[in-house]
Amino acid sequence: MVYSFIAHTSPTRSRVFALVKEPREQLEAVTTLGAGDLHLTEELVGGLNSYLADRDDAALQTVLDRVPKAVRMAARQYLKERCAPEPGAFTGYGPVDIVREAVYFRRLDDELQEFLDGAYMIGLGIRMWNERRSDGGVSWVVQLRSDEVSVPASAEPRTWALPEGTRLLHTWTSREPLGDLGPVRAALVVAEAASAEGRRVRIHTLLHSDRDTDFEGSGTSGFVVDVFDAPIPEGDLGE
């Protein structure tokens, strides 16, 4: 995944790079501004980084119209080949990092609820899924992320792309309360019932904005539970 764009500037040129973090950290060359266009470096890098977050093509084009044609073409080609939109990757403050890669739980019990409650309370993003262990049992895998991602008011409540080739049976959100259960316990109840039927389940959190513009206004934090018409995947296939 392209994490951000940066530039190295010398008296004669500015080289623009993409910082890629997966599968390993590396720099990839994007384009170069010549000596006569060094003053456009900050604007170009800023425009590319803004595009990663908001995918506003019109705003990006305004920036690209100011740079030489060769630079414009190189930037567009790189974005086309390497920067496909990735749901849940950015907030209004920048890229979302994974702060805990995987924590495994064998049961949807009080220990897991306490773990999720703590993460939810301090605003960490949560992604969670079930996996079939080699002994036939089920584990629940939790990934903690540096922030929750916002979705516009009228958008589908999802910041985690659906897996290809797997049919979605139904989605529950914490906007559909279960009695007097809080959002964490309710999400676990829904997930446990579907998993008990042998179905693949994924859970994630998001911030549902009260406006139709990403990253603006206030919103309501909540849980999303996706239930798939597919068996629980074997370990390491949950994402």
Side-chain angles (χ1 to χ4, degrees):
M1 183 187 84
V2 175
Y3 187 81
S4 64
F5 291 93
I6 58 176
H8 177 268
T9 301
S10 70
T12 59
R13 64 180 179 175
S14 282
R15 298 187 66 195
V16 178
F17 297 91
L19 174 59
V20 180
K21 285 208 167 185
E22 295 177 12
R24 65 185 185 279
E25 289 194 8
Q26 60 182 349
L27 289 177
E28 294 181 347
V30 178
T31 189
T32 300
L33 289 166
D37 300 301
L38 296 183
H39 62 289
L40 298 174
T41 301
E42 184 176 348
E43 184 177 356
L44 175 59
V45 171
L48 291 170
N49 282 322
S50 294
Y51 179 77
L52 283 180
D54 58 28
R55 301 293 164 165
D56 187 336
D57 196 74
L60 175 64
Q61 189 60 47
T62 298
V63 174
L64 293 181
D65 283 343
R66 290 171 48 78
V67 301
K69 181 179 180 181
V71 173
R72 180 165 62 250
M73 292 177 63
R76 280 294 187 190
Q77 187 65 28
Y78 185 86
L79 293 174
K80 178 181 178 181
E81 293 179 354
R82 300 287 287 139
C83 296
E86 183 174 338
F90 290 87
T91 72
Y93 299 100
V96 175
D97 292 315
I98 298 173
V99 296
R100 285 293 300 272
E101 183 62 47
V103 181
Y104 290 82
F105 294 85
R106 291 199 167 212
R107 292 176 296 277
L108 297 182
D109 55 12
D110 291 343
E111 180 185 7
L112 174 55
Q113 181 174 344
E114 183 178 352
F115 183 83
L116 296 180
D117 274 329
Y120 190 53
M121 183 177 299
I122 63 175
L124 295 180
I126 297 169
R127 287 186 178 183
M128 175 174 158
W129 60 93
N130 57 349
E131 289 184 352
R132 183 73 66 185
R133 299 194 305 269
S134 59
D135 64 4
V138 175
S139 287
W140 291 88
V141 190
V142 182
Q143 180 191 87
L144 298 182
R145 301 165 72 83
S146 59
D147 206 349
E148 292 179 335
V149 176
S150 172
V151 295
S154 62
E156 182 181 28
R158 177 171 290 105
T159 59
W160 192 0
L162 294 173
E164 295 183 4
T166 303
R167 188 170 74 91
L168 180 67
L169 278 182
H170 62 86
T171 296
W172 174 90
T173 77
S174 48
R175 289 189 170 188
E176 309 165 41
L178 295 181
D180 60 354
L181 297 179
V184 176
R185 173 49 62 183
L188 294 180
V189 167
V190 173
E192 186 170 35
S195 185
E197 297 177 351
R199 300 193 184 281
R200 179 181 184 177
V201 180
R202 297 194 325 184
I203 301 172
H204 74 280
T205 56
L206 52 75
L207 184 67
H208 209 145
S209 176
D210 59 359
R211 301 184 186 181
D212 267 335
T213 303
D214 275 339
F215 315 133
E216 293 186 8
S218 58
T220 302
S221 180
F223 277 79
V224 176
V225 181
D226 289 323
V227 179
F228 299 95
D229 185 19
I232 301 170
E234 300 298 323
D236 295 329
L237 298 178
E239 289 196 323

